[in-house]
Amino acid sequence: MAEDREPPALLDASHAGSTDPEDGEDLFVSAVSKMEASPTSPAEPIIISSSNGPEPEPEEIFLDEDPDDLFAEATEEVSLDSPERQPILSDGPSPAITPVTPTVTLDPRVSEAFARSPDQDEDEEENRDAFDVQISVSDPEKVGDGMNAYMVYKVSTKTSLSIFSRDQVSVKRRFSDFLGLHSKLASKYMHIGYIVPPAPEKSIVGMTKVKVGKEDTSSAEFVEKRRSALERYLMRTVKHPVLLKDPDVLQFLESSELPRAVSTQALSGAGILRMVNKAADAVNKMTIKMNESDAWFEEKQQQFENLDVQLRKLHASVESLVCHRKELSVNTVSFAKSSAMLGNSEDHTALSRALSQLAEVEEKIDTLHQDQACNDFFMFSELLGDYVRLITAVKGVFDQRMKTWGKWQEAEMMLQRKREAEAKLQYANKPDKLQQAKDEIKEWEGKVQQGERDFEQISKIIRREVGRFEKDRVKDFKVVIVKYLESLVHTQQQLIKYWEAFLPEAKAIA
Amino acid sequence: MEGSSAESALSVSADSIRITDLTQDGDVLTFAITSQKLNSSAGVCVFRAYEDFEWLQQSLFSQENVPGLQGIIFPPLPPKALPLQSNMQTKALKQLGFLALGQDWQGYCKALEFYLQQVATHPTLFKCKALDSFLINSESPGKQRGRKGIFNRLSQAVEEMRKESHKDVDNFFQNERNKNTNIAALSKVATEKLIDVVMTEQKLALACGHFSTSLHLCVNQDDAAAVAFSKVCLKLSDIIEAVKQNFEKVASNNLTTLGLGLDLESRYQEAEKEMLFRRTCKLIELETVKKSTEKAKANKREVMEEFQKAVEKEFSLISSVAKEEIERFHSSRVNVLKNVLIGWCEQQLNTAKECAELYSQHLEACRNMYSE
């Protein structure tokens, strides 16, 4: 596919130029990311692997930042091995906090730089055999003591894609690193319409138990649950063709040292600001009344609302199933014990043996129950939980579209006002102010166009993302169903073995 | 009416006794009992209510001129059933244990049937006229109150407890009493634990049902993507439905074989306990009489000695009958348990095989459908 089919005007150098002053005005902390290596340094293996040859011009990409950023100090500069890649990654809040001052969202350029053309991504999606990344999260290790302790996980990536610097790499990461990664991705991509997979949830209770050093099954379960969730999170993230190429993701997977993501802590300044954000968003949602001109979006939103309800119901059903299975396990063990006692007290030798065997069979069956409960849990309960959270991300993206529309409308209103102001000045005959007014009109015309483009862009991206989401959803469920059936078949076959072993014992009772 | 010790034999074949039907009219359950006449090919069918069973049991207890009657281990009659099922589950469970869990009262009918068969095959009890009239008279025994007969319920009075632990004069019986106390307690516990297992299995079946239904509700045909997802949900719904049916079968197998078997064993151990208690009471009576006789003044002594001899004779008869009963009980219970365990294992094995087959088919189908 021709990558240049629909280059948004943003790629034009002129536009890049015109929007720069805007950025400068707002004292942005610039996040610079150069995607491509210059062809003169062949040693740099960061070229996006794709069939399309020429790369877009190196661009500067800015992330919007609030001038009153409380944690400018949280911004850390990381210099990676390759001098060509100098992303300054910000742990700051998502641009959603940006106040109403009109700012151009430059991020569509980010998406373009990363994603090239939309069609190219679809190409890569179709060549799924080209998608060859396996990530595993393993070996949870406790580091430190008491309340300062934390778990460290080994993240191993195996791949043949050339955007990675090595075929296999292992790094150690802690939970807050994952949250940091998600926070960065969300701040970069969500407001242009990409569905960023949500990170696993924090759990203060669960973690405290682990920190305090309780070596019981519930902490072990918690760690396993978290490990599995982190693995699924990373796999979902890299399955996204755009996120896969994000330098933050690559750094996360490959770099041996990662700056501590402090702003992910719940009670940090960033955390509090996130809460304020959420409140602001909620208010915005109520005040922006969008004129939906596209029925597709309305339908989809309704569908997702319905799906949300359905998934939550399913999740509750599965949780109940898991709970009962655990209960069955407890009862089976109890019964096994009681029949063992009966066997011990029984005089008749063969009967005594048979009863003891009965106890053993029941214990083995119990192990099967526990395994099956685990399967129920991990396969369904967690999957459904993941999807409930994903739907929240999807809804978030729809909300972003609404915000983008809102910004565009605001720009229209400002333009209108400026035009009115200019008309007034015409009468008042103040030539110097008139020029300024004309300049402002031009500026706002630009902003209106930008707003419209942004809106169209986000709409387009959302359509694509939703399509991808729906395909992935079906795939995910299919995979889980097959795995679940395999586990069911396996359990039954084990059961058959146990019963077949017991039958001669029963028959041997004289 | 009352059972007398006539030499009358049972006029129907013990093996042919069946409870073939059950009707419910409000609170009253009526059982249809069929059997084959011994000397002809005619079949008999009578209708009885629970009170009639109770009448039979009382008649057995109150037989006259049966030496050592108190040494007999009487086949235990299942407790009375409460007709209302689901909303009185817990109350029914306390009373009936396993017999409350079956569907359509199958377990309960089987238990009653077994009771009749046990009575009919007992070398002494089968002669009781009451049994014959119970099985063949078209008129039910009605609300006749038989003689009170021997006390068959161990009361909770402290005095009874004390008697129960009275030391025996015979090692054989002391051992038997100890073992019986132990096993009676253990089998009761095992029965209760198995009830818990079966109930949880039934709960699991219900939970699967809910899950399956919820999946059905996810179906919508809005667009191609929704249709694809709906298909997946429906497939999963079918699978969960299969899981549900498996649980129901496994629970039912547990119930009808091992459950009923353990329940029967438990009740029989109680019956043996009651017999041993009666004998112990007789022993205490004997020892009391002996002491009184020793202390008696000369003029009363002869009378006392006569009395003592009579009690001794009773005790000796009871003991010898008891010994036979105990041996008979031991061998029959091993046999019963053997059949129970074999039946249980075979049923569960069959269910597991069927289920494995079904799951494999689903797996095959899914793999084919989803290979892309």
Side-chain angles (χ1 to χ4, degrees):
Chain A
M1 294 291 161
E3 80 190 290
D4 294 323
R5 230 178 48 182
E6 303 178 295
L10 296 165
L11 271 179
D12 290 355
S14 58
H15 262 274
S18 72
T19 48
D20 281 0
E22 208 67 57
D23 305 336
E25 248 176 54
D26 286 351
L27 305 171
F28 294 157
V29 174
S30 63
V32 177
S33 173
K34 290 190 189 149
M35 264 313 296
E36 318 65 35
S38 59
T40 54
S41 48
E44 296 314 317
I46 52 170
I47 303 167
I48 302 168
S49 92
S50 72
S51 44
N52 300 322
E55 287 134 84
E57 322 155 341
E59 301 234 326
E60 292 204 335
I61 296 144
F62 296 84
L63 290 180
D64 297 347
E65 284 287 309
D66 187 317
D68 294 329
D69 190 351
L70 292 178
F71 12 84
E73 66 269 17
T75 305
E76 286 157 302
E77 300 208 9
V78 178
S79 63
L80 300 179
D81 302 332
S82 71
E84 249 71 349
R85 279 205 295 193
Q86 295 271 336
I88 297 169
L89 302 167
S90 142
D91 279 343
S94 76
I97 199 185
T98 311
V100 197
T101 42
T103 52
V104 179
T105 49
L106 295 165
D107 300 279
R109 287 194 295 166
V110 169
S111 77
E112 279 314 305
F114 288 136
R116 315 289 202 73
S117 84
D119 310 312
Q120 180 182 317
D121 280 321
E122 255 147 282
D123 257 357
E124 274 176 87
E125 275 190 86
E126 273 150 41
N127 306 338
R128 272 296 179 185
D129 48 355
F131 173 78
D132 171 28
V133 180
Q134 279 304 315
I135 299 188
S136 69
V137 174
S138 58
D139 304 341
E141 245 179 79
K142 188 163 142 186
V143 173
D145 271 320
M147 286 314 286
N148 292 327
Y150 58 91
M151 296 297 289
V152 161
Y153 303 88
K154 182 163 109 172
V155 177
S156 313
T157 310
K158 248 196 227 162
T159 177
S160 60
L161 295 182
S162 52
I163 49 171
F164 289 88
S165 57
R166 280 169 285 171
D167 288 358
Q168 293 194 26
V169 60
S170 273
V171 294
K172 293 236 156 98
R173 295 283 179 255
R174 56 184 289 188
F175 186 64
S176 55
D177 294 334
F178 289 82
L179 294 183
L181 174 65
H182 173 257
S183 155
K184 289 173 196 163
L185 293 177
S187 65
K188 278 197 244 176
Y189 294 103
M190 271 207 71
H191 65 276
I192 43 175
Y194 286 99
I195 301 171
V196 176
E201 287 170 346
K202 289 194 231 227
S203 163
I204 298 179
V205 173
M207 249 344 259
T208 310
K209 269 198 198 160
V210 173
K211 287 186 192 192
V212 162
K214 272 184 95 179
E215 292 288 326
D216 61 357
T217 37
S218 72
S219 352
E221 263 180 36
F222 172 78
V223 171
E224 175 54 28
K225 186 174 164 181
R226 175 160 279 191
R227 182 209 66 79
S228 170
L230 291 173
E231 194 172 276
R232 291 194 309 272
Y233 165 65
L234 284 180
M235 280 306 288
R236 282 221 175 84
T237 305
V238 298
K239 278 203 181 124
H240 194 300
V242 168
L243 297 179
L244 173 60
K245 301 168 197 157
D246 184 287
D248 284 330
V249 170
L250 294 169
Q251 184 199 35
F252 181 90
L253 291 174
E254 299 194 305
S255 164
S256 49
E257 288 299 315
L258 202 64
R260 193 64 209 282
V262 293
S263 58
T264 58
Q265 286 159 351
L267 297 178
S268 68
I272 292 177
L273 245 128
R274 267 195 294 275
M275 291 195 287
V276 169
N277 258 356
K278 280 206 179 119
D281 281 356
V283 170
N284 274 344
K285 236 174 138 168
M286 295 192 288
T287 51
I288 298 179
K289 265 296 174 190
M290 181 165 165
N291 297 335
E292 188 56 77
S293 52
D294 193 340
W296 185 91
F297 281 90
E298 215 169 306
E299 276 167 24
K300 277 300 167 188
Q301 255 180 301
Q302 188 57 51
Q303 272 182 21
F304 280 114
E305 288 292 331
N306 294 344
L307 187 63
D308 193 15
V309 168
Q310 286 162 355
L311 285 180
R312 281 178 200 268
K313 221 181 184 173
L314 286 177
H315 189 241
S317 283
V318 173
E319 297 267 276
S320 143
L321 197 63
V322 170
C323 185
H324 285 315
R325 273 218 205 256
K326 289 200 177 139
E327 197 187 325
L328 183 59
S329 171
V330 167
N331 289 342
T332 307
V333 165
S334 191
F335 174 63
K337 284 207 184 102
S338 68
S339 62
M341 284 178 72
L342 256 181
N344 285 343
S345 302
E346 177 59 51
D347 271 351
H348 191 278
T349 331
L351 181 59
S352 166
R353 236 193 47 202
L355 287 170
S356 303
Q357 293 289 10
L358 191 162
E360 276 182 36
V361 166
E362 287 293 315
E363 270 170 15
K364 286 186 194 152
I365 291 180
D366 167 58
T367 318
L368 288 179
H369 283 148
Q370 288 189 27
D371 286 346
Q372 194 60 53
C374 267
N375 286 338
D376 285 349
F377 177 73
F378 282 107
M379 290 186 197
F380 287 122
S381 182
E382 291 284 88
L383 173 74
L384 288 167
D386 284 352
Y387 267 90
V388 166
R389 281 190 289 276
L390 264 169
I391 297 235
T392 311
V394 172
K395 285 201 217 173
V397 148
F398 275 91
D399 287 345
Q400 290 293 340
R401 177 173 171 268
M402 207 167 66
K403 271 206 210 122
T404 311
W405 182 85
K407 276 198 192 138
W408 173 26
Q409 296 306 308
E410 276 167 20
E412 293 260 15
M413 277 186 345
M414 276 307 279
L415 178 62
Q416 188 64 20
R417 270 192 234 150
K418 295 294 178 189
R419 286 201 173 126
E420 286 168 5
E422 193 231 9
K424 284 200 193 123
L425 286 173
Q426 290 270 9
Y427 282 115
N429 204 9
K430 290 184 187 161
D432 45 339
K433 288 221 175 125
L434 199 61
Q435 185 52 42
Q436 185 188 349
K438 286 204 197 292
D439 286 342
E440 283 180 359
I441 286 181
K442 228 188 175 166
E443 173 195 328
W444 281 99
E445 276 173 353
K447 286 198 184 167
V448 164
Q449 281 179 334
Q450 182 66 52
E452 187 173 359
R453 267 196 297 272
D454 287 347
F455 181 70
E456 277 166 18
Q457 182 70 6
I458 196 178
S459 301
K460 190 165 75 185
I461 289 180
I462 289 182
R463 274 181 190 264
R464 195 152 34 95
E465 284 288 281
V466 165
R468 197 179 58 83
F469 172 83
E470 287 177 335
K471 262 204 217 128
D472 280 352
R473 174 179 56 157
V474 171
K475 259 196 210 130
D476 271 357
F477 273 73
K478 281 182 183 174
V479 163
V480 162
I481 286 177
V482 169
K483 271 208 315 222
Y484 186 66
L485 271 173
E486 284 171 351
S487 83
L488 283 178
V489 169
H490 174 77
T491 305
Q492 286 303 118
Q493 284 168 346
Q494 284 298 105
L495 257 177
I496 290 174
K497 278 202 200 116
Y498 296 154
W499 290 123
E500 281 177 344
F502 181 71
L503 192 56
E505 295 288 338
K507 289 194 169 156
I509 303 171
Chain B
M1 275 167 310
E2 306 165 355
S4 58
S5 65
E7 292 302 313
S8 55
L10 195 57
S11 59
V12 299
S13 123
D15 294 334
S16 69
I17 300 175
R18 298 279 181 275
I19 295 186
T20 51
D21 197 13
L22 164 70
T23 48
Q24 183 173 338
D25 180 17
D27 269 4
V28 178
L29 295 166
T30 307
F31 303 90
I33 307 170
T34 58
S35 49
Q36 281 290 112
K37 280 254 175 196
L38 270 180
N39 43 17
S40 75
S41 58
V44 186
C45 183
V46 295
F47 297 93
R48 300 285 182 255
Y50 188 78
E51 287 87 46
D52 301 322
F53 282 87
E54 278 179 326
W55 169 87
L56 174 59
Q57 188 79 325
Q58 279 302 315
S59 310
L60 293 171
F61 289 163
S62 52
Q63 290 177 86
E64 288 169 348
N65 302 334
V66 175
L69 180 72
Q70 293 192 41
I72 292 180
I73 300 176
F74 288 86
L77 177 63
K80 183 163 186 184
L82 300 163
L84 302 161
Q85 268 193 306
S86 43
N87 47 350
M88 297 181 79
Q89 185 78 290
T90 30
K91 198 169 171 192
L93 269 179
K94 283 213 180 89
Q95 277 224 357
L96 290 172
F98 261 105
L99 304 178
L101 287 179
Q103 284 158 323
D104 312 324
W105 299 103
Q106 266 181 9
Y108 191 68
C109 288
K110 263 220 142 41
L112 284 174
E113 187 181 285
F114 191 74
Y115 162 75
L116 288 174
Q117 287 167 350
Q118 287 296 98
V119 175
T121 49
H122 191 283
T124 311
L125 296 176
F126 84 102
K127 298 178 200 159
C128 179
K129 248 193 170 177
L131 176 66
D132 203 47
S133 72
F134 178 94
L135 288 170
I136 60 173
N137 280 2
S138 48
E139 275 174 40
S140 64
K143 295 214 167 58
Q144 301 174 43
R145 293 264 160 224
R147 288 218 300 258
K148 199 67 192 301
I150 52 187
F151 212 70
N152 211 30
R153 290 265 174 270
L154 285 178
S155 77
Q156 297 299 309
V158 176
E159 196 185 302
E160 304 287 351
M161 306 277 255
R162 193 172 49 82
K163 280 188 192 167
E164 205 182 330
S165 52
H166 184 90
K167 198 163 186 307
D168 211 299
V169 294
D170 184 333
N171 260 349
F172 170 79
F173 280 103
Q174 186 62 60
N175 280 343
E176 188 60 26
R177 278 162 65 190
N178 294 343
K179 275 192 298 189
N180 166 263
T181 306
N182 196 20
I183 297 207
L186 290 176
S187 51
K188 193 152 191 275
V189 167
T191 312
E192 283 165 4
K193 297 297 176 191
L194 188 57
I195 288 179
D196 288 341
V197 169
V198 170
M199 287 194 65
T200 314
E201 284 166 345
Q202 288 175 339
K203 273 194 234 172
L204 263 168
L206 260 175
C208 284
H210 286 150
F211 186 30
S212 176
T213 311
S214 304
L215 282 165
H216 253 284
L217 294 175
C218 288
V219 171
N220 84 61
Q221 312 281 346
D222 286 347
D223 54 38
V227 165
F229 188 60
S230 300
K231 276 203 195 129
V232 167
C233 286
L234 281 175
K235 188 67 187 163
L236 185 58
S237 178
D238 286 343
I239 294 169
I240 300 294
E241 186 66 29
V243 173
K244 166 189 167 193
Q245 282 168 3
N246 183 41
F247 272 121
E248 285 172 344
K249 267 244 105 201
V250 167
S252 162
N253 291 343
N254 278 339
L255 197 150
T256 55
T257 53
L258 190 58
L260 291 182
L262 278 179
D263 175 72
L264 182 70
E265 164 75 4
S266 185
R267 282 185 292 118
Y268 249 105
Q269 292 286 344
E270 282 302 311
E272 189 194 14
K273 192 184 222 173
E274 284 167 6
M275 179 278 279
L276 290 169
F277 182 68
R278 289 193 292 270
R279 182 183 159 279
T280 307
C281 287
K282 201 49 134 179
L283 175 61
I284 293 173
E285 188 189 332
L286 179 59
E287 288 175 355
T288 315
V289 165
K290 270 190 187 155
K291 283 200 194 120
S292 310
T293 309
E294 276 164 25
K295 290 191 195 143
K297 298 210 182 102
N299 53 344
K300 297 255 176 88
R301 184 163 284 230
E302 214 179 301
V303 172
M304 295 290 281
E305 278 174 359
E306 281 300 310
F307 184 51
Q308 184 181 317
K309 272 203 195 109
V311 176
E312 267 172 6
K313 188 171 173 224
E314 271 176 32
F315 180 68
S316 156
L317 270 174
I318 290 176
S319 296
S320 66
V321 167
K323 226 178 201 160
E324 282 172 14
E325 285 283 281
I326 286 170
E327 271 153 25
R328 186 170 167 268
F329 172 57
H330 281 180
S331 67
S332 108
R333 93 178 244 284
V334 169
N335 218 29
V336 165
L337 283 174
K338 171 184 179 179
N339 290 337
V340 159
L341 288 174
I342 293 176
W344 176 60
C345 184
E346 281 174 348
Q347 279 196 18
Q348 294 290 35
L349 181 57
N350 275 347
T351 302
K353 282 182 179 163
E354 280 172 7
C355 192
E357 183 56 41
L358 184 59
Y359 289 158
S360 295
Q361 283 173 7
H362 274 295
L363 181 59
E364 202 47 46
C366 279
R367 278 195 181 135
N368 289 342
M369 270 203 319
Y370 297 161
S371 54
E372 52 193 81

